[in-house]
């Protein structure tokens, strides 16, 4: 009898424990499809933060998809989105080299303020890496490799979170 009572108490405890978890806490959102485009938004306190929206790309090749994504960063059509890459920055050349996507930007990129350059770099990297086929990003300006935001590779525990920005 004691064993049965203990079993019932254990089952009730487990039931209480599992029922206290919200349904939404552990569910993955598998209804979203497409590629993430990373944009800037403001919260209620006026702080800027990176957010993303899913888009369906029309292009087939990796270079064309990258160009399509980058153009969306210059002209975001999403509600409440801020431009992360200024309109006067042009994407001169996009090249695929293995798992690296090389983005050659116009000369105006050199003259961005440090904060603007960081925002543009983060949104470019996060967006292009979200496509799934690219593992590294190399940013150049008129064929000239750009200096990294800090020494070494950009990886975990930095301003770029888990992205990989490759600098030659």
């Amino acid at each position: 009898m004691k064993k049965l009572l203990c079993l019932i108490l254990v089952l009730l405890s487990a039931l209480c424990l599992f029922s206290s978890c919200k349904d939404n806490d552990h569910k993955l959102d598998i209804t979203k499809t497409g590629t993430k485009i990373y944009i800037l938004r403001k919260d209620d306190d006026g702080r800027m933060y990176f957010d993303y929206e899913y888009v369906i790309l029309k292009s087939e090749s990796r270079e064309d998809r990258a160009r399509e994504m980058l153009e969306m960063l210059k002209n975001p059509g999403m509600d409440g989105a801020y431009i992360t890459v200024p309109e006067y920055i042009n994407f001169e050349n996009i090249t695929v080299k293995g798992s690296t996507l090389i983005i050659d930007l116009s000369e105006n990129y050199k003259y961005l303020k440090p904060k603007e350059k960081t925002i543009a770099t983060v949104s470019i990297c996060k967006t292009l890496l979200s496509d799934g086929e690219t593992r590294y990003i190399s940013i150049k300006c008129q064929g000239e490799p750009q200096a990294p935001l800090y020494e070494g590779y950009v990886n975990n525990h930095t301003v770029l979170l888990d992205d990989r920005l490759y600098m030659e």
Side-chain angles (χ1 to χ4, degrees):
M1 182 71 165
K2 287 183 180 181
K3 288 182 181 180
L4 181 62
L5 186 58
C6 288
L7 181 61
I8 291 172
L9 285 175
V10 167
L11 290 174
L12 284 175
S13 298
L15 183 62
C16 288
L17 178 68
F18 291 122
S19 66
S20 67
C21 294
K22 292 181 182 176
D23 242 5
N24 302 2
D25 288 350
H26 304 290
K27 278 189 179 176
L28 291 175
D29 189 4
I30 57 173
T31 60
K32 301 286 185 184
T33 58
T35 302
K36 293 178 183 177
I37 301 295
Y38 284 84
I39 53 176
L40 274 181
R41 294 186 197 255
K42 277 189 181 179
D43 65 10
D44 294 337
D45 296 328
R47 293 177 297 221
M48 302 287 274
Y49 67 97
F50 280 97
D51 195 8
Y52 60 86
E53 291 209 7
Y54 288 94
V55 297
I56 304 298
L57 301 174
K58 298 172 186 166
S59 304
E60 295 284 327
S61 75
R62 218 160 121 198
E63 292 95 342
D64 291 342
R65 281 196 320 272
R67 186 169 299 281
E68 191 177 342
M69 288 188 280
L70 292 170
E71 288 301 326
M72 287 180 190
L73 295 177
K74 289 172 60 173
N75 302 304
M78 300 104 181
D79 291 336
Y82 289 86
I83 294 173
T84 56
V85 178
E87 295 173 356
Y88 54 85
I89 302 290
N90 295 320
F91 307 108
E92 303 292 333
N93 192 16
I94 299 172
T95 311
V96 173
K97 187 176 182 183
S99 61
T100 302
L101 194 59
I102 302 164
I103 310 300
D104 198 355
L105 302 171
S106 64
E107 183 178 14
N108 296 334
Y109 177 79
K110 284 182 184 179
Y111 304 110
L112 289 176
K113 294 177 184 172
K115 182 179 177 181
E116 293 172 336
K117 193 177 273 193
T118 300
I119 289 170
T121 303
V122 170
S123 65
I124 287 170
C125 290
K126 289 180 79 63
T127 296
L128 293 175
L129 291 169
S130 73
D131 196 21
E133 292 187 40
T134 302
R135 294 203 25 90
Y136 299 96
I137 306 294
S138 176
I139 294 182
K140 296 183 177 189
C141 185
Q142 291 191 319
E144 185 179 310
Q146 294 303 292
L149 298 177
Y150 73 100
E151 300 247 339
Y153 291 96
V154 176
N155 57 21
N156 287 335
H157 311 299
T158 68
V159 70
L160 296 183
L161 305 173
D162 61 345
D163 292 343
R164 295 165 295 263
L165 171 64
Y166 172 69
M167 295 291 183
E168 292 180 354

